[in-house]
Amino acid sequence: MRLLVLFLLLAAGPVLAQDGPRYDTDGFAKCIADAEADASAAPGLRSCIGEASTQCMATPGGETTVGMVECLGHEAKDWDKLLNGYYERALKAAKAADADLAELGSAAEPAAPALQQAQRHWIAFRDSSCRYESLRYQGGTLGGPAAQDCVLRLTAEQALRLRDIAEGME
Amino acid sequence: MKRLAGCALALLLAAPCFAGDASGFDPAAIDRCLGDASTQGARADCAGTGMEACLDYARGKYTGDDPDFPMANCLDASHQAWEAKLTGVYEAALKTQGEKGADPQESLRQAERSWLQFREDLCNQARDAAAEGKGDLARARCIRDETARQVALLMALGSAE
């Protein structure tokens, strides 16, 4: 009997190790889709920030440092995908507007290079802010989750800024 | 400076002068809003706090014919109040980090520098994308909102101390 228990534990070991916290990427997508269905989407979209990772951190293994970094990283990645989509939309609209203006012989500042520069500077802003966030903890184990949380929040905010820009241009 | 000069000129012409008068804006409203807010998002949402009272005051006092003037004046006053708030939060964080060592302090300075660059780009973009004649207001609103957002961020980054 004891042997059997030992065997089961050994067999179950690797499976448990692979499990980790559960991140619900469909739940994230649903939060976004529900918010987008509303006429004034912005407040709903902002309330999605941190939701999926918080739920993930409440699942078994999500409360450890490694689990927290994993959960926050998953949500940061989901926001990053959204950000890229909004950025592409905004850039496409900006390029179309620039082409129209060029045809009219306008001397107005072109929008697309300005948008690209803003995005480059945003990346520098994100990196330096979250580097500061990790250095603040100086080797403490919170450095990981805190910096990952910083990336998540800044990425989400920028995704929503770019969404506004895209909506304003289209 | 330009506004002050315009104001002086208006005084000379004995015309009603309101330019640069921030007395319609109460910076303490921002502190009250921040005090009631418990999350980073809620603090960033304090951006427009105090604007309504300022606009009421400005519309009551301003007798000129620029319909955008009260808004421009209040956005400016609101931005100045947020800028003062940001300076306070930033200086406090620099001091705390300075006690820990050069690295975190320098990284905070770097973060502020890159934020300023980003804000400039973003708000110039907002100006350029705005409807004809509304560019300056759009830029002023963007600068004010992003400054409030940065206060909220620095408060969140400092929250574990």
Side-chain angles (χ1 to χ4, degrees):
Chain A
M1 187 60 197
R2 215 179 270 171
L3 258 180
L4 180 64
V5 170
L6 184 66
F7 172 76
L8 284 175
L9 276 174
L10 284 173
V15 179
L16 281 174
Q18 274 176 12
D19 252 5
R22 278 199 323 279
Y23 178 79
D24 183 6
T25 197
D26 294 336
F28 175 85
K30 188 178 182 308
C31 189
I32 299 294
D34 287 352
E36 289 278 15
D38 204 88
S40 58
L45 287 169
R46 289 185 49 203
S47 72
C48 296
I49 303 175
E51 263 303 299
S53 56
T54 301
Q55 280 172 20
C56 171
M57 288 187 281
T59 65
E63 74 289 357
T64 65
T65 302
V66 174
M68 285 161 85
V69 170
E70 199 181 317
C71 291
L72 293 163
H74 274 303
E75 194 186 323
K77 206 178 279 174
D78 273 348
W79 281 107
D80 198 49
K81 272 185 222 149
L82 275 184
L83 182 152
N84 285 322
Y86 293 137
Y87 179 66
E88 289 309 320
R89 261 175 66 187
L91 196 60
K92 202 175 149 204
K95 282 180 176 166
D98 288 347
D100 286 350
L101 285 173
E103 214 159 287
L104 294 169
S106 163
E109 280 296 308
L115 189 64
Q116 285 164 320
Q117 178 174 315
Q119 189 59 12
R120 269 199 304 277
H121 280 151
W122 174 75
I123 290 169
F125 161 58
R126 177 201 62 195
D127 289 351
S128 54
S129 298
C130 300
R131 186 177 131 78
Y132 161 61
E133 180 65 346
S134 87
L135 280 173
R136 252 172 18 90
Y137 289 99
Q138 284 190 332
T141 52
L142 273 175
Q148 196 62 68
D149 188 47
C150 176
V151 170
L152 184 166
R153 279 167 202 286
L154 292 188
T155 306
E157 282 191 349
Q158 181 67 353
L160 299 186
R161 281 190 195 98
L162 288 168
R163 179 184 178 278
D164 282 349
I165 291 174
E167 300 259 302
M169 281 184 166
E170 284 166 354
Chain B
M1 199 56 216
K2 214 191 251 172
R3 192 168 283 174
L4 273 178
C7 183
L9 185 66
L11 277 172
L12 284 173
L13 295 173
C17 173
F18 183 73
D21 181 0
S23 53
F25 191 85
D26 177 19
I30 290 176
D31 290 322
R32 282 194 297 274
C33 185
L34 288 175
D36 289 342
S38 55
T39 64
Q40 186 184 342
R43 289 193 193 101
D45 283 343
C46 290
T49 205
M51 282 296 281
E52 257 177 62
C54 180
L55 286 170
D56 283 348
Y57 176 88
R59 287 188 186 117
K61 276 217 149 184
Y62 179 66
T63 53
D65 56 5
D66 176 3
D68 288 337
F69 190 87
M71 180 57 87
N73 187 76
C74 291
L75 279 176
D76 187 40
S78 166
H79 169 230
Q80 294 309 324
W82 277 106
E83 202 69 41
K85 195 82 219 158
L86 179 61
T87 303
V89 175
Y90 176 62
E91 295 290 333
L94 267 186
K95 192 163 172 278
T96 313
Q97 298 313 317
E99 285 155 11
K100 288 192 203 163
D103 264 10
Q105 199 182 40
E106 186 43 40
S107 74
L108 176 58
R109 285 211 178 89
Q110 181 59 47
E112 263 331 74
R113 276 195 296 272
S114 58
W115 171 70
L116 276 172
Q117 258 184 336
F118 166 63
R119 184 184 70 171
E120 195 63 18
D121 292 342
L122 185 74
C123 298
N124 286 343
Q125 191 281 331
R127 180 196 59 209
D128 296 344
E132 188 79 33
K134 297 290 178 191
D136 288 344
L137 276 188
R139 183 174 185 281
R141 186 184 301 279
C142 171
I143 294 269
R144 192 276 313 274
D145 287 351
E146 290 302 324
T147 307
R149 215 192 279 248
Q150 185 67 359
V151 168
L153 176 69
L154 284 186
M155 286 177 85
L157 294 186
S159 65
E161 282 163 333

